[in-house]
């Protein structure tokens, strides 16, 4: 039987990064993955394929809506070749997951294909064509998550679908009904909206992306409505029925009236659930909480002292970069180091266009905590860079402590917000004040000037360009 210092169960961004860091630190490491490709949800059916389709559909939208204004005439009709779009997405996924194979070899990590299941706290059985058993001094559970649904919905994977199927449709929906106005619903909704589908979003809460800053959620809602999304906040879905090629969704609106939506596809995007099926966690003495998450302490250690857990399968934001940080954290803990993660500074991004990005506290969180704060906001439309590319929607908002001027939160909607938020993360990691940012030179013309202007607005209400 092969013996390891560390076995990692699950090869998503949490698991494969943990394995690499363990190997870098000199531990003999194995990784176990039940699918034939490495990379988990993120690389196979999550972050990477969704961004590939967002990029392709963005190009199409630019071609049909904006090229003419830029002085680019394309003779003949511009058409979508969905088969090619999906094939390109798949080739991006294949290249990316292939890259993880390379990294495992480079770092001398043994890869086992098959479902990993605890025999006890130090032995794991891997079931594939044949059963293998390995011994591990320490194990990192990184088994991730799966889409969740509502009790009365039957996901048939044809017309009533999750994100996994939405990434490989063979036709463009005529009317896509999206249940859940969160990240997946809006990103994948926008892919098919751009390709010509009518998109209706049904959201239980009174606003889309309800966990983000209310101002950001309001701005995104405004922009998406301008893009002809049909938004239905405060709607409680009560039934989803498939009739041939039709899907009929019934919901109660705020007034308690029944509203019927009829479409040809329904995307169920109401969140994801932690995944521990087949893991046999009990055999190792690993406890789950009542939400099905693996319970961990501040060292990400489970109720079994030699077993740790990271990523979507534990508490906290279900984000690839959060899982990665936790993978590094556990590897360094096992090596006797004292790593640290500031969960307040894990950025969140929605890759619609305009993009949405945020880090730190929202205004509501600051109000609830009784913090005396000030706000500096700057509209993207006031930037020369935005006018040059015609990306006029959105704003940057900087929230800073009223007394100390320390930046407490940065929220933005706008072109390239996903990349711009890194500046705010760096600033906040170093506990910068709004004045610090406002005194730093920002290249002109760039979208990042909006961060400087918002910081100036927060410092002394002295933005320069509004
Ligand atoms: P996962 O990536 O879920 O990996 C877990 C792995 O463990 C899987 O491969 C699974 O097969 C394997 N596994 C499970 N049980 C066993 C077992 N018993 N034995 C062996 N293997 C097992 N996050 C972002 O930060 N940015 C984005 O842009 C983004 N976009 C997304 C888009 C979509 C459509 C979806 C669905 C998710 C997106 N996410 C995004 C979320 C992101 O994918 C997850 O947060 C991330 O993948 C979690 O990483 P993980 O390592 O915890 O688990
Ligand atoms: P989510 O939590 O982002 O959104 C789910 C939405 O569904 C929420 O707005 C919620 O209020 C709503 N909802 C819940 N129950 C409902 C009901 N009965 N009827 C109507 N609406 C209901 O979840 P998601 O969009 O499914 O994404 C799952 C996870 O994947 C998220 O945690 C997210 O962080 C991650 N993800 C991240 C990215 C990214 O970082 N860009 C992209 C995709 C997914």
């Amino acid at each position: 039987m092969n013996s390891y210092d560390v076995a990692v169960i699950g090869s998503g961004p949490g698991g494969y990064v943990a394995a690499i860091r363990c190997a870098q630190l000199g531990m003999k490491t194995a990784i176990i993955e039940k699918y034939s490709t490495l990379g988990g949800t993120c690389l196979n059916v999550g972050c990477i394929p969704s961004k590939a389709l967002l990029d392709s559909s963005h190009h199409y939208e630019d071609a049909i809506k904006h090229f003419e204004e830029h002085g680019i005439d394309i003779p003949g009709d511009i058409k979508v070749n969905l088969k090619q779009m999906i094939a390109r997405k798949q080739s991006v996924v294949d290249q990316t997951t292939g890259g993880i194979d390379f990294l495992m070899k480079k770092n001398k990590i043994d890869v086992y294909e098959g479902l990993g299941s605890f025999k006890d706290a130090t032995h794991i059985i891997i079931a594939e064509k044949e059963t293998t058993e390995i011994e591990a001094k320490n194990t990192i559970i990184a088994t991730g998550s799966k889409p969740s649904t509502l009790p009365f919905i039957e996901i048939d994977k044809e017309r009533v679908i999750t994100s996994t199927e939405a990434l490989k449709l063979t036709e463009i929906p005529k009317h896509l009904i999206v249940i859940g106005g969160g990240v997946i619903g809006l990103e994948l909704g926008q892919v098919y909206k751009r390709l010509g589908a009518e998109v209706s979003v049904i959201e239980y809460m009174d606003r889309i992306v309800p966990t983000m800053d209310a101002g950001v959620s309001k701005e995104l809602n405004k922009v998406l409505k301008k893009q002809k999304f049909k938004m239905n906040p405060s709607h409680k879905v009560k039934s989803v029925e498939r009739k041939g090629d039709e899907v009929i969704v019934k919901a109660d609106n705020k007034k308690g009236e029944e509203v019927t939506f009829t479409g040809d596809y329904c995307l169920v995007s109401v969140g994801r659930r932690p995944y521990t099926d087949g893991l046999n966690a009990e055999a190792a003495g690993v406890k789950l909480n009542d939400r099905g998450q693996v319970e961990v302490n501040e060292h990400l250690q489970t109720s079994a002292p030699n077993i740790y857990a990271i990523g979507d399968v534990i508490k906290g934001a279900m984000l690839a970069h959060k899982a990665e940080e936790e993978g590094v954290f556990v590897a360094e803990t096992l090596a006797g180091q004292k790593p640290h993660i500031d969960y307040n500074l894990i950025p969140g991004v929605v890759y619609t266009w305009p993009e949405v990005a945020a880090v730190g506290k929202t205004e509501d969180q600051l109000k609830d905590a009784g913090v005396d704060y000030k706000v500096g906001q700057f509209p993207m439309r006031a930037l020369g860079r935005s006018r040059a590319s015609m990306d006029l929607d959105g704003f940057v908002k900087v929230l800073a402590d009223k007394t100390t001027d320390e930046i407490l939160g940065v929220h933005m909607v706008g072109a390239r917000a996903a990349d711009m938020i890194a500046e705010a993360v760096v600033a906040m990691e170093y506990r910068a004040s709004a004045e610090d940012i406002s005194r730093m030179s920002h290249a002109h013309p760039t979208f990042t000037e909006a961060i400087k202007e918002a910081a100036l607005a927060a410092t002394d209400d002295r933005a320069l360009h509004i």
Side-chain angles (χ1 to χ4, degrees):
M1 189 192 310
N2 289 336
S3 280
Y4 294 93
D5 295 320
V6 186
V8 181
I9 308 181
S11 72
Y16 85 74
V17 168
I20 293 173
R21 189 72 187 116
C22 285
Q24 283 177 343
L25 291 164
M27 292 174 242
K28 188 177 175 203
T29 308
I31 192 162
I32 305 159
E33 171 54 56
K34 70 175 186 154
Y35 289 121
S36 57
T37 53
L38 301 178
T41 305
C42 177
L43 274 61
N44 289 280
V45 290
C47 327
I48 299 300
S50 58
K51 267 79 256 179
L53 289 182
L54 277 159
D55 277 335
S56 296
S57 59
H58 199 164
H59 285 310
Y60 173 67
E61 188 179 59
D62 273 344
I64 57 168
K65 292 202 178 144
H66 305 303
F67 274 15
E68 203 178 333
E69 197 172 351
H70 279 281
I72 305 166
D73 291 332
I74 299 186
D77 284 348
I78 302 170
K79 290 194 196 114
V80 177
N81 178 344
L82 187 63
K83 201 172 162 200
Q84 167 58 20
M85 208 176 266
I86 301 283
R88 188 198 78 94
K89 172 221 74 175
Q90 195 52 43
S91 96
V92 172
V93 168
D94 294 345
Q95 285 165 36
T96 315
T97 58
I100 308 300
D101 290 337
F102 164 78
L103 291 173
M104 295 301 106
K105 282 196 192 95
K106 184 185 158 208
N107 287 284
K108 302 194 173 40
I109 295 161
D110 288 350
V111 177
Y112 291 88
E113 184 184 333
L115 185 81
S117 191
F118 285 107
K119 184 176 167 194
D120 56 40
T122 50
H123 293 85
I124 301 161
I125 295 168
I126 301 151
E128 232 304 80
K129 288 163 212 126
E130 294 166 19
T131 300
T132 316
E133 187 175 330
I134 61 168
E135 187 179 38
K137 273 189 223 141
N138 297 289
T139 296
I140 303 174
I141 300 172
T143 49
S145 63
K146 290 277 178 204
S148 50
T149 178
L150 301 173
F152 51 85
I153 299 182
E154 195 200 325
I155 307 279
D156 65 15
K157 299 192 178 183
E158 290 175 0
R159 298 272 162 185
V160 182
I161 59 176
T162 70
S163 53
T164 303
E165 295 75 47
L167 293 167
K168 53 181 183 196
L169 290 185
T170 51
E171 61 176 0
I172 298 164
K174 290 181 195 68
H175 181 193
L176 176 65
I177 302 167
V178 175
I179 303 181
V183 201
I184 292 183
L186 299 181
E187 288 185 1
L188 293 177
Q190 195 172 50
V191 166
Y192 289 105
K193 181 84 208 68
R194 288 167 177 163
L195 300 183
E198 185 185 330
V199 177
S200 301
V201 176
I202 307 174
E203 168 56 49
Y204 180 75
M205 304 294 279
D206 61 0
R207 58 187 176 94
I208 57 168
V209 284
T211 54
M212 298 194 94
D213 186 87
V216 154
S217 152
K218 194 172 163 196
E219 178 73 6
L220 183 65
N221 191 61
K222 191 178 90 190
V223 178
L224 293 181
K225 276 172 88 170
K226 218 162 63 178
Q227 295 174 10
K228 307 269 188 299
F229 271 76
K230 295 205 169 115
M231 294 299 187
N232 304 277
S234 305
H235 276 60
K236 186 171 188 262
V237 174
K238 46 185 197 182
S239 72
V240 175
E241 192 192 347
R242 169 148 179 210
K243 270 194 189 158
D245 287 348
E246 266 188 358
V247 185
I248 298 146
V249 177
K250 291 199 165 120
D252 285 340
N253 68 14
K254 212 168 160 178
K255 294 182 199 147
E257 299 153 347
E258 184 177 282
V259 186
T260 302
F261 301 83
T262 305
D264 50 348
Y265 287 87
C266 173
L267 169 63
V268 181
S269 48
V270 293
R272 292 176 63 85
R273 65 173 177 89
Y275 184 75
T276 52
D277 298 5
L279 185 63
N280 204 18
E282 325 73 72
V286 171
K287 286 197 189 122
L288 308 186
N289 64 21
D290 52 8
R291 301 177 64 189
Q293 294 161 329
V294 175
E295 206 146 86
V296 289
N297 64 17
E298 70 275 24
H299 304 293
L300 305 184
Q301 189 177 32
T302 70
S303 45
N306 66 324
I307 301 177
Y308 293 73
I310 58 173
D312 281 12
V313 79
I314 65 167
K315 65 187 173 184
M318 286 184 164
L319 295 172
H321 43 285
K322 178 255 191 190
E324 289 187 31
E325 293 306 326
E326 292 179 336
V328 170
F329 178 95
V330 170
E332 294 182 350
T333 302
L334 289 172
Q337 300 181 6
K338 301 235 174 320
H340 173 72
I341 298 174
D342 187 344
Y343 284 97
N344 183 43
L345 298 186
I346 304 269
V349 172
V350 188
Y351 293 83
T352 46
W353 199 264
E355 293 174 336
V356 184
V359 64
K361 303 288 185 219
T362 64
E363 282 205 57
D364 283 342
Q365 286 169 335
L366 292 176
K367 277 180 202 150
D368 288 349
V371 176
D372 211 3
Y373 68 96
K374 50 190 182 166
V375 184
Q377 189 162 317
F378 187 83
M380 300 306 285
R381 100 182 76 82
L383 292 177
R385 184 68 192 86
S386 301
R387 281 191 299 277
S389 68
M390 302 197 305
D391 290 303
L392 300 173
D393 292 318
F395 59 76
V396 173
K397 174 159 85 172
V398 170
L399 307 175
D401 188 287
K402 210 165 194 168
T403 317
T404 65
D405 199 35
E406 179 176 353
I407 300 171
L408 303 173
V410 177
H411 305 273
M412 47 178 91
V413 179
R416 301 194 201 160
D419 296 294
M420 290 206 290
I421 199 68
E423 173 177 346
V425 177
V426 173
M428 290 175 71
E429 282 283 2
Y430 286 92
R431 301 195 61 178
S433 64
E435 187 177 353
D436 287 333
I437 293 278
S438 69
R439 291 190 180 278
M440 289 174 195
S441 172
H442 287 63
H444 173 75
T446 59
F447 294 108
T448 64
E449 287 172 284
I451 303 178
K452 176 177 170 135
E453 290 277 3
L456 274 167
T459 308
D460 251 338
D461 196 16
R462 57 183 182 93
L464 293 162
H465 291 88
I466 38 167

